[in-house]
Amino acid sequence: QVHLVESGGGLVQAGGSLRLSCAAHGRLFSSYVMGWFRQAPGKEREFVAAISWTGNSTLYTDSVKGRFTISRDNAKNTVYLQMNSLKPEDMAVYYCAADHYGTMWWRGGEYDYWGQGTQVTVSS
């Protein structure tokens, strides 16, 4: 069992930055993929980024490439999402998720555990 808790959301101006954290409580196997998803009002949940738990493989959706960086600190059981050059369209609730032995990192349906989300608001 894994419990995920996001933090770091807030209100920023367009062009600003935020760093989201996802703390994992409980046992996470080395094979867990950690992902970030977001959901804006009235829109479907969208894949943002993912990272292998112990490796160095990452995946980003096209709209955030070059602006967002996913990373992790295994000693702290924490995954981060550094968000730079934020745009109003980035405004959403951001969720972290853990995918046990997942292969399709962009598909939210295969993730096993989800956090409750942290709100990111971007003013224009």
Side-chain angles (χ1 to χ4, degrees):
Q1 295 291 322
V2 177
H3 181 63
L4 305 177
V5 180
E6 304 96 335
S7 63
L11 191 157
V12 297
Q13 294 182 338
S17 298
L18 281 175
R19 186 176 181 86
L20 306 183
S21 298
C22 174
H25 303 277
R27 181 64 178 268
L28 272 181
F29 296 98
S30 61
S31 58
Y32 271 79
V33 171
M34 301 300 298
W36 285 98
F37 293 77
R38 65 188 181 186
Q39 187 167 20
K43 295 186 177 181
E44 296 290 313
R45 181 181 60 195
E46 176 189 21
F47 170 76
V48 178
I51 187 169
S52 56
W53 188 240
T54 58
N56 59 3
S57 298
T58 59
L59 181 69
Y60 298 91
T61 191
D62 287 344
S63 63
V64 307
K65 288 180 179 178
R67 299 188 299 121
F68 291 10
T69 302
I70 187 170
S71 61
R72 83 289 188 198
D73 185 339
N74 288 344
K76 296 181 178 180
N77 286 334
T78 301
V79 177
Y80 305 96
L81 185 68
Q82 178 67 46
M83 305 184 295
N84 299 324
S85 301
L86 282 162
K87 304 175 181 179
E89 52 262 44
D90 296 317
M91 185 184 305
V93 176
Y94 283 71
Y95 301 89
C96 66
D99 184 4
H100 193 199
Y101 298 113
T103 57
M104 299 180 186
W105 298 3
W106 59 92
R107 193 171 71 181
E110 74 172 45
Y111 281 74
D112 300 293
Y113 303 100
W114 292 83
Q116 291 186 306
T118 184
Q119 176 71 51
V120 172
T121 302
V122 184
S123 61
S124 60

